[in-house]
Amino acid sequence: MPYPHLLAPLDLGHVTLPNRVLMGSMHTGLEDRAADFDKLAAYFAERARGGVALMVTGGIAPSIQGWLKPFGGRLSMPWHVARHRKVTHAVHAEGGRICMQILHAGRYGYHPLSVAPSKIKSPITPFTPRALSSRGVERTIGDFVRSAQLAREAGYDGVEVMGSEGYLINQFLVERTNHRRDAWGGDAERRMRFPVEIVRRTREAVDRDFIIIYRLSMLDLVEQGQSWEEIVALAKAVEAAGASLINTGIGWHEARVPTIVTSVPRGAFSWVTRRMKQEVRIPLVTTNRINMPEVAERILAGGDADMVSMARPLLADPDWVRKAMDDRASRINTCIACNQACLDHVFQNRRASCLVNPRACHETELALLPTMARKRIAVVGAGPAGMACASAAAERGHAVTLFDQAERIGGQFNYAKRIPGKEEFHETLRYFGHRLADAGVTLRLGTCVDVAVLADGSFDEVVLATGITPRRVTFPGSDDPRVLSYLDVLARDRPVGARVAIIGAGGIGFDVAEFLVENPPSPSTDIERWAHAWGVDMSLAARGGLDAAVAEPPQREVWLLQRSEGRPGARLNKTTGWVHRATLKAKQVRMLGGVAYERFDDRGLHVHADGKPSILPVDNVVVCAGQEPFRPLADALRAAGIPAHIIGGADVAAELDAKRAIDQGTRLAATL
Ligand code: FAD
Ligand code: NAP
Ligand code: SF4
């Protein structure tokens, strides 16, 4: 059997799970509106069909005070039960199991009704919480228990008590957020009474076969976080109180150490769960940056945990487990940990989806149904837009030919994958390579398509996915060979000197800066090196697991410039931008806004910044000044009277990313 540890059953006493994969809780936005529960049910049903042993819903509040945001998902009243039944029925019909996560946001609540152990505002929300009275604490415990009882009524197989990521339960556990001197604060034992009472009273209220997962923050990654001894004491108390499983939580939301983004090494935190293995007898679940079966198998075989939790990887590929079972891991659509369509959407109050799988959370709307009218389709350009369109159209039954002038598929992803911390982009290319072949797409690489190729009537439909061309900037000296484009650096390996100015501080400017300052091999491939650089204390001696961050010296001296005023990188994605900014800051990259580019000569780049002229003494300038659509074929086809669909960067280059490219390609394929 492939992956013998991953695919082994797990006996929880009253329930036996068929394998070791837990789909971790992930907010999708669908749980917030009763009208969206049919979509939520379809989303979970598809994942149950894919073979995952146990799933956990996104966080559901046990009360209005516990809301993450106004009118967010809640299970506290009998009339809420019916909508949840849609989910549990759909999952059970597919032979799956599902627990509901009870999440009380505490001071992370984005609304004026939020409560906390003490009146201390969080650094990431604008609302100051009200301190709970002693009766209020009792009532809140009651809310958790009531929500669990209602979850049982709704047909859930269990609940997960959310005790990590800095939410209410964490807020009770540490002096940082709990200044109480009553029965719920003052020392570690009294601070941990709150979660222990929740688990104990919940277990009393439900039968033994009802699963209680406790999500335990094993590494807070904030100052004045819990000590390891306190965490172990809590784990033991939660076990004694009746939990069936302990799931691992890493880092509060306000922590300044990245825990899930793509530059975090795979399986970067399973060593923490491993330490806990010696302390408790109930099964432990480990989590964070586990995205492929070989990673999960290694972690389980090494004895770090009894189960692995993955949330985003199952958003990316609902059939992840089934493919592992069938020994077809090469066909898995791997989560690249970009957060672009999942977490970033949730932060923008938009429905979550997935960059590499636009059907995620749109299962009932974006159906790729078999076609009744097979067409011959030419797709020009095998970047993300073209690959997505070609594979989806061929899967529907069309005869698709995919052209690219390059000798390999992938378009700009071939440059993205070279950025330190973006190694996961290789996986998307591997996935599409197999998917295109499995779908029977005819691949014609090394073929620069012109009108003649498309004009002989061989195709019923033409799709142009020819991407972009980098924007050129002109100033005196910009034609000097030492002024390079990002493609010179990433595609043509042109040598770059020790001091570099980068023009343009968008996503590509930041990526190129990381490429130029980081010492290979990428720290994302080495857990200890990465932990050292971010100040994660792997000895667990310090409170919160925090140590001093020790950055490696940069490989080059880099200036990152933009014309607009303000902080470079302010427009980077919400959940990942801060990581890029912190990385470059640690590498002493000088980031300047409000810069005018005057000229380049032997003395360097002459600029005007902060109201005065200066010369940046650089050997090279790398231009990352955005992109323009590349579609000369469009005009030629129009002139020849051949209609074409235009997608991806060829359509609109401004603010283009792979999320839009893949989504647009897939949606077009659904209509052809
Ligand atoms: P492209 O990827 O540009 O593909 C177009 C293809 O068309 C090319 O392969 C080209 O060879 C081919 N072609 C053009 N003309 C012809 C012709 N006449 N005949 C045959 N073939 C032709 N996006 C994100 O979402 N997240 C990221 O983290 C991210 N990081 C990036 C990092 C870097 C360094 C770079 C360069 C880009 C990054 N991007 C990222 C952007 C992302 O790669 C692009 O948005 C995406 O590739 C656009 O897809 P596309 O299919 O429209 O075009
Ligand atoms: P971008 O994000 O639009 O940034 C372009 C940069 O160039 C800006 O800093 C802009 O700032 C500057 N600029 C624009 N026109 C200029 C001109 N004429 N002269 C000088 N400077 C100019 O584009 P990008 O960095 O090329 O990225 C392309 C796309 O890839 C982005 O939309 C992004 O979504 C995607 N991408 C995403 C990621 C990610 O991690 N999510 C990473 C890489 C790329 P000023 O105008 O202020 O100078
Ligand atoms: Fe993973 Fe990115 Fe998809 Fe989120 S959007 S599930 S991080 S690939």
Side-chain angles (χ1 to χ4, degrees):
M1 180 166 70
Y3 316 112
H5 296 85
L6 179 67
L7 300 177
L10 178 66
D11 184 1
L12 295 182
H14 298 265
V15 182
T16 300
L17 302 176
N19 57 61
R20 305 302 179 102
V21 180
L22 176 108
M23 179 171 161
S25 175
M26 167 104 216
H27 200 76
T28 64
L30 293 173
E31 45 291 273
D32 295 335
R33 280 173 16 131
D36 285 335
F37 267 63
D38 287 322
K39 295 182 187 121
L40 190 65
Y43 159 77
F44 279 121
E46 193 158 314
R47 276 128 191 106
R49 205 156 45 242
V52 57
L54 182 62
M55 300 183 285
V56 183
T57 65
I60 303 290
S63 63
I64 284 175
Q65 290 87 342
W67 268 339
L68 208 43
K69 62 175 190 184
F71 309 104
R74 174 164 66 104
L75 180 55
S76 58
M77 294 295 169
W79 58 87
H80 294 152
V81 166
R83 68 184 77 143
H84 286 271
R85 279 212 183 105
K86 292 182 178 174
V87 170
T88 56
H89 281 166
V91 168
H92 293 155
E94 297 293 348
R97 286 194 176 81
I98 186 159
C99 293
M100 188 191 85
Q101 186 185 73
I102 309 179
L103 183 154
H104 192 305
R107 70 175 191 158
Y108 282 172
Y110 219 81
H111 54 84
L113 303 175
S114 64
V115 293
S118 302
K119 189 180 172 184
I120 306 169
K121 194 178 96 58
S122 96
I124 56 171
T125 35
F127 299 96
T128 302
R130 178 172 58 81
L132 282 164
S133 64
S134 303
R135 277 183 54 201
V137 176
E138 286 287 349
R139 201 173 326 118
T140 307
I141 294 172
D143 291 340
F144 271 87
V145 176
R146 172 108 181 105
S147 195
Q149 286 173 311
L150 291 171
R152 178 136 180 88
E153 235 177 84
Y156 285 107
D157 299 279
V159 288
E160 177 171 84
V161 175
M162 181 43 156
S164 69
E165 328 303 280
Y167 293 115
L168 182 71
I169 287 179
N170 281 125
Q171 295 158 26
F172 266 92
L173 287 169
V174 289
E175 189 74 30
R176 173 186 176 90
T177 41
N178 181 348
H179 293 179
R180 304 177 75 95
R181 293 294 175 264
D182 61 0
W184 308 101
D187 60 32
E189 203 162 318
R190 277 182 286 173
R191 285 195 298 265
M192 81 178 194
R193 273 191 68 217
F194 182 67
V196 175
E197 283 303 302
I198 289 173
V199 175
R200 192 180 65 75
R201 295 183 205 180
T202 302
R203 177 52 79 205
E204 270 174 18
V206 298
D207 306 330
R208 278 316 299 185
D209 65 346
F210 191 66
I211 298 168
I212 300 180
I213 308 170
Y214 183 82
R215 182 96 181 262
L216 177 76
S217 184
M218 292 198 200
L219 199 60
D220 290 339
L221 297 176
V222 290
E223 276 141 26
Q224 291 179 278
Q226 279 189 289
S227 69
W228 181 247
E229 293 69 33
E230 289 167 2
I231 295 166
V232 169
L234 174 60
K236 289 183 172 174
V238 158
E239 177 178 32
S244 332
L245 278 165
I246 292 181
N247 193 359
T248 304
I250 303 288
W252 289 29
H253 285 318
E254 66 206 62
R256 292 336 265 164
V257 177
T259 54
I260 59 166
V261 304
T262 190
S263 56
V264 174
R266 288 177 169 190
F269 295 102
S270 67
W271 56 271
V272 190
T273 319
R274 183 191 184 85
R275 282 278 293 269
M276 188 58 80
K277 278 287 287 170
Q278 307 148 17
E279 310 288 352
V280 292
R281 284 194 307 259
I282 52 173
L284 291 183
V285 187
T286 196
T287 180
N288 287 50
R289 287 292 285 117
I290 300 167
N291 63 349
M292 286 299 277
E294 70 268 17
V295 185
E297 178 67 17
R298 178 170 40 76
I299 286 170
L300 294 171
D304 290 9
D306 304 285
M307 274 189 106
V308 290
S309 167
M310 291 176 289
R312 297 172 302 165
L314 286 140
L315 212 58
D317 195 334
D319 292 323
W320 193 103
V321 177
R322 185 81 52 215
K323 288 174 183 173
M325 281 177 187
D326 298 345
D327 210 2
R328 291 191 308 129
S330 62
R331 268 55 178 182
I332 287 177
N333 192 3
T334 307
C335 165
I336 59 173
C338 64
N339 286 357
Q340 284 175 240
C342 51
L343 272 186
D344 282 335
H345 277 206
V346 171
F347 274 94
Q348 294 158 359
N349 262 327
R350 294 169 63 192
R351 192 194 310 180
S353 187
C354 172
L355 178 141
V356 297
N357 173 24
R359 287 197 66 247
C361 300
H362 295 77
E363 286 75 12
T364 56
E365 296 140 291
L366 182 50
L368 294 170
L369 302 173
T371 179
M372 308 297 280
R374 183 177 162 90
K375 292 179 188 168
R376 299 160 306 163
I377 299 173
V379 180
V380 186
M387 293 189 298
C389 183
S391 49
E395 282 161 2
R396 292 190 55 223
H398 294 302
V400 181
T401 305
L402 176 62
F403 298 90
D404 205 292
Q405 62 196 9
E407 295 293 345
R408 56 187 175 172
I409 60 166
Q412 292 177 68
F413 259 38
N414 290 302
Y415 318 131
K417 74 184 184 192
R418 297 196 62 195
I419 306 300
K422 286 198 167 175
E423 292 75 19
E424 295 290 359
F425 284 58
H426 284 273
E427 299 287 4
T428 306
L429 298 176
R430 181 260 311 145
Y431 163 74
F432 270 116
H434 285 293
R435 186 173 166 198
L436 290 165
D438 292 349
V441 171
T442 304
L443 206 50
R444 287 188 51 192
L445 296 176
T447 308
C448 183
V449 175
D450 55 19
V451 178
V453 178
L454 305 171
D456 66 357
S458 318
F459 299 104
D460 306 308
E461 304 264 9
V462 173
V463 179
L464 290 190
T466 46
I468 52 81
T469 183
R471 181 177 292 131
R472 296 174 63 92
V473 294
T474 47
F475 49 82
S478 61
D479 53 354
D480 187 297
R482 290 168 293 181
V483 177
L484 307 170
S485 88
Y486 68 84
L487 288 184
D488 291 327
V489 178
L490 297 175
R492 299 174 197 118
D493 283 321
R494 292 272 298 275
V496 181
R499 291 167 308 170
V500 189
I502 297 173
I503 290 184
I508 293 181
F510 267 78
D511 275 358
V512 168
E514 286 184 39
F515 181 81
L516 293 175
V517 293
E518 206 63 82
N519 293 289
S522 164
S524 305
T525 55
D526 181 336
I527 294 175
E528 286 189 19
R529 204 177 132 206
W530 177 88
H532 198 54
W534 282 98
V536 177
D537 170 24
M538 292 183 74
S539 74
L540 296 176
R543 274 193 174 274
L546 278 185
D547 203 351
V550 183
E552 293 172 7
Q555 210 192 9
R556 292 184 179 81
E557 197 177 347
V558 170
W559 285 260
L560 182 56
L561 314 171
Q562 70 180 24
R563 296 171 307 173
S564 28
E565 297 288 344
R567 195 173 49 137
R571 290 203 310 271
L572 294 180
N573 299 25
K574 170 87 180 162
T575 64
T576 49
W578 68 272
V579 184
H580 293 296
R581 289 191 294 272
T583 303
L584 294 191
K585 198 169 160 210
K587 294 285 185 185
Q588 297 149 42
V589 171
R590 274 164 276 188
M591 296 180 239
L592 303 178
V595 178
Y597 312 112
E598 312 248 291
R599 67 177 189 282
F600 178 76
D601 60 23
D602 289 345
R603 295 163 69 200
L605 183 65
H606 299 243
V607 296
H608 209 269
D610 282 338
K612 53 180 190 299
S614 61
I615 304 172
L616 308 181
V618 295
D619 309 303
N620 290 98
V621 172
V622 181
V623 178
C624 306
Q627 310 173 328
E628 308 282 358
F630 180 69
R631 51 178 182 225
L633 251 182
D635 294 336
L637 286 176
R638 203 173 304 118
I642 302 172
H645 308 271
I646 307 181
I647 58 173
D651 177 24
V652 179
E655 303 197 352
L656 167 75
D657 60 9
K659 178 179 70 171
R660 167 146 64 81
I662 291 176
D663 186 75
Q664 205 180 1
T666 308
R667 283 178 194 279
L668 174 63
T671 63
L672 288 173

